Amino acid sequence: MEVLARDGEARAGLLDTPHGRVQTPTFMPVGTKGTVKGLTPADLRGAGAGIILGNTYHLYLRPGADLVREAGDLHAFSGWDGPMLTDSGGFQVFSLAKTRKISERGVRFASVYDGSTHEFTPELTTRVQEDLGADIAMVLDECPPANAARGYHEDSLRRTARWARRCKDAHSREDQALFGIVQGGLHEDLRRESLERTVEIGFPGYAVGGLSVGESREEMLQTLAATALMLPWESPRYFMGIGDPVGILQVISLGVDMFDCVLPTRLARHGAALTPDGRLNLKNSRFRRDFGPLDPECSCETCTGYSRAYLAHLVREDELLGHRLLTLHNVHFTANLCRQARREISSGTYAAWARAWISRYETAR
Ligand code: PRF
Ligand code: ZN
């Protein structure tokens, strides 16, 4: 990637993919099953999404990689012709499966859909991701709970590094980038070891995995700070699984270029909207007769076309349109936050701006 501006550790840059250029830092809305729930590709584009994410775990189980490949790839199948990334499925196996068995070969698990058993090996998840055809694919990794024993993290990060090597050996699509993933829990020396092993194999981009999994914010930021400083400057850095506005601004300040999370879209489906003055729960009775816009500073379709009172009504009635309009706003809001961050980094004013932004967001009204 090309780093255009640096402000402290924060960077603004450009990431070129076969389906277009991505301005970083960038938030990737999650389209688990090949759809960002409720939004069309045109909606996503209008909301300012630069790159979206799909999940190998879900798409492998349903509708299956063969079927997606028959359509061409996930771009053709879903109608999203912009940049896309697929996660390897490792994380979903560890977070969703009640039963799973890890071996050197890979990880065996029971499907969340029908209980059928499957095994993800580095070779299989790489082939499936080649079939899905996203611009960026991820290596198969293990993401242990943050509080797992140190010895477990040690064994696990070494196995993840061996899996990363096998993924790279199995990967053959030249029009797809395969990113490595750094693990190691909250131990700075293990993070360093994981990073060195992963960088030694050599990838065009690196993700920091295994964070935002139950540890405190403090611990997360400290571990990320230590890890990010050691990552190659010229490679894109992806923080896996953060999407709350404050967390986004914090990881950007530590040099992260891309991140994903279900939070903005999931919150929307639970009736919550992100605003510069904090999260609003539209189910709260104070919105029933509030005929003003959702977020007066937002230019999205939801904020320019509908009132809080109408949205509150839709949410209370569990209407499809309510979910959709709030999702549209939360994605627009998060994309816009990243756009503002890029501007501030380019002007060299990021730290002061982020501090003021967070202070306003956290001052509950
Ligand atoms: N690994 C993978 N995907 C992930 C994570 C990880 O550690 C996380 C951790 N926050 C989210 N998504 N492959
Ligand atoms: Zn809006």
Side-chain angles (χ1 to χ4, degrees):
M1 70 171 265
E2 188 185 352
V3 178
L4 299 174
R6 172 181 187 171
D7 184 4
E9 288 304 318
R11 324 118 53 89
L14 295 174
L15 180 63
D16 277 315
T17 80
H19 289 84
R21 174 170 274 192
V22 183
Q23 293 182 281
T24 64
T26 189
F27 171 71
M28 302 184 279
V30 178
T32 300
K33 303 184 184 184
T35 161
V36 176
K37 296 185 197 307
L39 303 190
T40 65
D43 292 333
L44 285 164
R45 212 169 278 288
I51 169 168
I52 66 168
L53 186 138
N55 275 120
T56 302
Y57 177 90
H58 297 275
L59 294 165
Y60 158 83
L61 292 171
R62 296 196 178 169
D66 293 356
L67 192 141
V68 173
R69 199 183 48 186
E70 245 178 85
D73 59 14
L74 192 52
H75 292 99
F77 187 51
S78 69
W80 169 260
D81 62 0
M84 186 149 53
L85 178 149
T86 46
D87 197 356
S88 56
F91 183 69
Q92 277 68 38
V93 168
F94 294 102
S95 58
L96 294 174
K98 281 188 218 84
T99 54
R100 55 170 183 258
K101 199 169 178 320
I102 305 167
S103 69
E104 189 60 29
R105 253 177 69 88
V107 52
R108 293 192 63 82
F109 62 96
S111 160
V112 276
Y113 295 105
D114 58 9
S116 56
T117 61
H118 302 268
E119 184 172 34
F120 273 170
T121 62
E123 291 76 17
L124 178 66
T125 57
T126 303
R127 202 189 68 221
V128 169
Q129 289 183 90
E130 290 193 352
D131 287 345
L132 297 175
D135 302 273
I136 301 171
M138 301 304 299
V139 299
L140 182 65
D141 63 328
E142 181 188 359
C143 172
N147 63 4
R150 184 190 154 88
Y152 190 87
H153 279 292
E154 209 165 335
D155 293 344
S156 171
L157 79 85
R158 290 173 190 165
R159 182 170 46 236
T160 286
R162 291 190 296 273
W163 284 358
R165 158 54 62 194
R166 283 165 57 190
C167 286
K168 184 174 171 176
D169 288 344
H171 189 253
S172 63
R173 265 189 90 143
E174 289 191 354
D175 59 348
Q176 181 181 66
L178 177 68
F179 281 16
I181 304 178
V182 177
Q183 292 286 347
L186 300 175
H187 309 279
E188 285 184 21
D189 57 329
L190 297 187
R191 284 277 160 186
R192 173 184 293 275
E193 177 181 340
S194 174
L195 188 145
E196 282 171 354
R197 287 178 187 270
T198 313
V199 171
E200 191 182 305
I201 298 164
F203 293 96
Y206 297 92
V208 179
L211 291 178
S212 227
V213 290
E215 76 284 9
S216 72
R217 248 319 138 81
E218 208 87 347
E219 291 172 311
M220 180 199 99
L221 293 172
Q222 193 158 346
T223 309
L224 172 62
T227 310
L229 284 175
M230 297 184 280
L231 285 167
W233 175 259
E234 58 291 344
S235 311
R237 302 158 175 184
Y238 165 22
F239 187 103
M240 310 189 87
I242 195 146
D244 66 288
V246 173
I248 285 176
L249 295 184
Q250 289 168 332
V251 303
I252 289 176
S253 77
L254 296 173
V256 168
D257 305 307
M258 44 207 290
F259 29 85
D260 73 286
C261 193
V262 295
L263 184 103
T265 44
R266 183 172 289 166
L267 277 181
R269 298 195 304 277
H270 287 100
L274 303 166
T275 81
D277 296 299
R279 223 184 254 185
L280 302 184
N281 181 355
L282 271 301
K283 288 180 183 157
N284 192 307
S285 59
R286 73 186 163 112
F287 298 118
R288 287 199 61 208
R289 290 190 159 72
D290 185 340
F291 299 100
L294 182 59
D295 170 4
E297 292 162 43
C298 181
S299 60
C300 86
E301 200 181 315
T302 305
C303 294
T304 52
Y306 309 88
S307 67
R308 288 176 171 185
Y310 181 59
L311 294 167
H313 161 68
L314 294 179
V315 163
R316 279 164 182 269
E317 295 305 318
D318 209 20
E319 283 289 337
L320 285 179
L321 185 60
H323 297 287
R324 179 174 143 69
L325 290 176
L326 287 186
T327 302
L328 209 48
H329 166 76
N330 283 354
V331 170
H332 182 103
F333 180 86
T334 309
N336 194 48
L337 181 65
C338 294
R339 189 175 318 126
Q340 282 177 268
R342 293 194 294 268
R343 261 204 300 269
E344 300 292 337
I345 293 168
S346 302
S347 336
T349 49
Y350 182 76
W353 169 79
R355 206 176 311 119
W357 198 99
I358 291 171
S359 155
R360 177 178 171 191
Y361 185 82
E362 287 183 339
T363 307
R365 288 184 304 174

